[in-house]
Amino acid sequence: MVGVPRSTGCHTCIQRRIKCDEGRPECRRCRDRNVKCPGYQRRVKFYHQTPASIRSREQKDSRHVAASSAVHALMPRASMDGKLAPGLASTATDTQMKEVFQYFVMVSFPGLFSAWRNRVQLNWLDFVRHHLDTSSQALIWSLRSLSVWHLGRAHNDQEKISASRHLYGRGLQHLICSLRNPRTATSNWTLMAAIHLGIYEMLDGLGEKSWLIHSRGIGKLFRLRGPEAHRDGFGRTLLVAYRSFLVADALVSQEPCFLEEPEWRAIVHDALAFERSAGKSCQLSETVELAFNEIVLCPGLFAQSRDFISQTGFKSEILRESLVAQITRCRDRLVELEGQMGPLSVKYDKKKVIKWEEDAKSPIPTEFARKVAKFASRGTQSAIAVLNQLLVLLEADKNRSSLDAKSHCSSTIWKLPAGSMTSSESQEKQLNAYDAHDEDDSPDRLDQLALSMGLLAIRT
């Protein structure tokens, strides 16, 4: 394809981007510079395009039309305001985004947010409203992706859902840049953006393992930052918002969860002491926190039991008894805590009892307390069932002869209450349990998983 330059000046003046007087036979500017004027013949320009390449570009552009048009409410548009004051359009967009994101949180995570909004120093929505760092492009685009996804699901608009995937991609690109920069790699903004994009993968992931890959990266960020970064402030908010998904990740992957390490578990006890002194504690919040501190041990106990029973040849009975003692202690403690949760579920059942007088001072609003107690109790019961089965398997392995152990020690014995965690078919079901296309399409399914402390990752 060819084209011609629009200017009628000489070629030298066009290259220098100055006005040519178009004098004949040579222009004055060339004469003054004592150079030969090339004249005024209009030269053609060649562009490397063919009819096939033009059609390919048109098809590629058309695929982006739906995505770009669907996000017009959250993307700055060229307008008179935008031309005269470029910051106006961006500010208006961010304001809209914050409002939509608030609805997303209250629809998708009503229980988790309400359980912590009054207990942390800075809750998630207050941070987005008043402390958002607009220089973090990864954070901005991650917020936009979730907000547009929420609009698409709320209005059953597939164009907006497709557009949210485009925004997610932009956020992921900026997140990679933030992680490569030593100054921003472990910042609150980067971790918050990673969590947003991880949540998006759970809601609308491209594959059954996509959320696990993302969650593994989030876990590494937590470990790089260290437990001290999450003891108070917004760092604590980040931890309590995502910790249940870290447990779910460990359960599905059959690996220990780093939150079982003593320095991470110590944070829970320190936080409970702070909440008591600040008047932000209640029986429900304390019981759930203590239960979580036991539940984080379950993935590691499961992995240890699996590895021990899978051994062939001589097995240390001392190691077996130590493992049994750990499992028993954890199980008994969870049984005790679950016994305290049962009455709390009844207490907060509005259909059976009137609000108690002290509920007005409770850090967990009464309308959400029943949900918190219900799913915390369900998660605790699941953990108890897993630990009981581990004890049965260890006892059976003890009574089995060495020959029988060799012939029966297969992965099929590893059946949690919902089925084999090592079975690839079962594992796919576990991973798909939180996919956007799962049969369980309730808008708060991730909220239920979080309130169960990650134990809904295994069905009971």
Side-chain angles (χ1 to χ4, degrees):
M1 183 175 180
V2 298
V4 294
R6 295 181 180 179
S7 175
T8 58
C10 74
H11 186 61
T12 298
C13 290
I14 292 174
Q15 283 189 326
R16 296 180 62 203
R17 298 186 176 182
I18 59 176
K19 183 173 178 59
C20 182
D21 67 339
E22 301 183 29
R24 307 285 177 170
E26 58 182 5
C27 72
R28 183 173 59 82
R29 292 187 182 275
C30 289
R31 189 171 58 252
D32 292 344
R33 296 179 63 237
N34 198 24
V35 298
K36 183 178 180 179
C37 183
Y40 305 99
Q41 182 178 0
R42 302 177 73 184
R43 301 183 180 185
V44 297
K45 287 186 177 181
F46 290 88
Y47 296 91
H48 186 63
Q49 287 188 339
T50 64
S53 67
I54 294 173
R55 287 194 301 271
S56 177
R57 176 179 294 180
E58 290 176 347
Q59 292 173 357
K60 182 178 180 181
D61 291 343
S62 66
R63 287 195 294 267
H64 295 282
V65 170
S68 59
S69 62
V71 297
H72 68 279
L74 292 178
M75 296 283 288
R77 291 177 291 174
S79 63
M80 184 63 69
D81 289 338
K83 292 177 181 178
L84 296 177
L88 280 178
S90 179
T91 301
T93 298
D94 290 339
T95 300
Q96 288 180 325
M97 174 191 66
K98 293 175 184 179
E99 293 301 316
V100 176
F101 184 74
Q102 176 181 347
Y103 288 114
F104 165 76
V105 170
M106 295 312 299
V107 169
S108 301
F109 295 95
L112 180 64
F113 176 73
S114 299
W116 287 99
R117 64 183 303 175
N118 299 322
R119 296 163 57 193
V120 293
Q121 292 170 298
L122 182 62
N123 69 56
W124 207 273
L125 287 184
D126 283 345
F127 181 89
V128 170
R129 291 192 194 102
H130 307 298
H131 301 274
L132 189 62
D133 183 1
T134 55
S135 66
S136 174
Q137 290 298 303
L139 182 54
I140 294 299
W141 287 101
S142 69
L143 285 167
R144 288 175 178 173
S145 66
L146 288 175
S147 299
V148 174
W149 182 88
H150 172 70
L151 288 175
R153 288 302 302 269
H155 300 285
N156 196 24
D157 188 334
Q158 288 301 319
E159 281 192 51
K160 284 187 173 61
I161 294 177
S162 298
S164 70
R165 169 59 59 176
H166 170 74
L167 299 177
Y168 165 82
R170 293 284 296 271
L172 198 57
Q173 291 174 355
H174 287 292
L175 177 61
I176 293 172
C177 293
S178 296
L179 292 172
R180 288 174 177 171
N181 186 342
R183 292 181 300 174
T184 59
T186 57
S187 68
N188 284 342
W189 337 111
T190 299
L191 179 55
M192 188 180 190
I195 289 175
H196 286 159
L197 297 175
I199 294 298
Y200 186 95
E201 281 291 347
M202 295 181 200
L203 294 168
D204 194 22
L206 289 177
E208 71 265 8
K209 293 185 179 179
S210 60
W211 80 272
L212 278 179
I213 296 172
H214 207 111
S215 183
R216 198 60 50 84
I218 294 172
K220 288 182 179 179
L221 273 180
F222 274 110
R223 300 193 75 170
L224 282 173
R225 287 162 54 95
E228 289 302 318
H230 305 94
R231 190 173 295 278
D232 51 26
F234 192 65
R236 173 149 179 80
T237 305
L238 292 168
L239 176 62
V240 298
Y242 198 77
R243 62 182 187 176
S244 293
F245 300 109
L246 295 173
V247 174
D249 178 350
L251 285 169
V252 173
S253 303
Q254 304 175 46
E255 296 177 356
C257 180
F258 70 90
L259 294 177
E260 72 172 13
E261 297 168 7
E263 56 269 29
W264 288 96
R265 295 185 72 211
I267 293 178
V268 171
H269 295 290
D270 294 342
L272 286 176
F274 170 78
E275 288 181 9
R276 293 189 196 105
S277 63
K280 296 182 178 181
S281 179
C282 67
Q283 184 182 359
L284 176 60
S285 63
E286 290 204 15
T287 304
V288 172
E289 285 301 282
L290 294 173
F292 180 83
N293 235 18
E294 300 298 326
I295 282 176
V296 293
L297 301 174
C298 292
L301 293 173
F302 178 86
Q304 290 181 59
S305 300
R306 176 202 60 204
D307 294 342
F308 183 85
I309 295 178
S310 299
Q311 291 178 11
T312 57
F314 174 78
K315 296 182 181 181
S316 170
E317 289 303 315
I318 296 178
L319 183 58
R320 185 199 305 276
E321 293 304 318
S322 174
L323 185 55
V324 168
Q326 293 179 58
I327 295 173
T328 302
R329 190 210 63 81
C330 183
R331 190 271 317 271
D332 292 346
R333 181 63 173 141
L334 285 174
V335 169
E336 177 186 352
L337 293 169
E338 200 281 325
Q340 299 174 20
M341 292 180 191
L344 292 176
S345 298
V346 176
K347 168 187 172 181
Y348 290 110
D349 190 341
K350 295 181 180 179
K351 297 179 181 179
K352 297 181 179 180
V353 296
I354 304 175
K355 295 180 183 179
W356 289 15
E357 185 176 339
E358 64 268 22
D359 289 343
K361 302 178 182 179
S362 175
I364 304 177
T366 305
E367 59 267 31
F368 295 102
R370 181 175 178 271
K371 182 179 183 181
V372 173
K374 173 184 175 182
F375 285 99
S377 177
R378 185 177 298 179
T380 304
Q381 291 171 3
S382 297
I384 293 170
V386 170
L387 296 174
N388 278 332
Q389 188 159 351
L390 292 181
L391 292 174
V392 170
L393 291 171
L394 288 168
E395 182 64 24
D397 179 69
K398 182 178 181 180
N399 297 330
R400 193 181 299 123
S401 66
S402 58
L403 291 177
D404 289 338
K406 186 174 181 180
S407 61
H408 288 86
C409 190
S410 67
S411 61
T412 56
I413 70 170
W414 291 102
K415 292 184 179 294
L416 293 177
S420 175
M421 286 285 283
T422 56
S423 164
S424 60
E425 179 182 357
S426 175
Q427 202 172 82
E428 289 180 1
K429 292 180 180 178
Q430 307 290 345
L431 297 173
N432 287 334
Y434 311 104
D435 186 80
H437 305 291
D438 186 55
E439 293 179 2
D440 180 11
D441 204 26
S442 55
D444 67 337
R445 61 190 181 280
L446 291 183
D447 192 42
Q448 297 175 18
L449 172 62
L451 294 178
S452 75
M453 297 170 279
L455 266 293
L456 283 187
I458 50 175
R459 304 290 186 175
T460 57

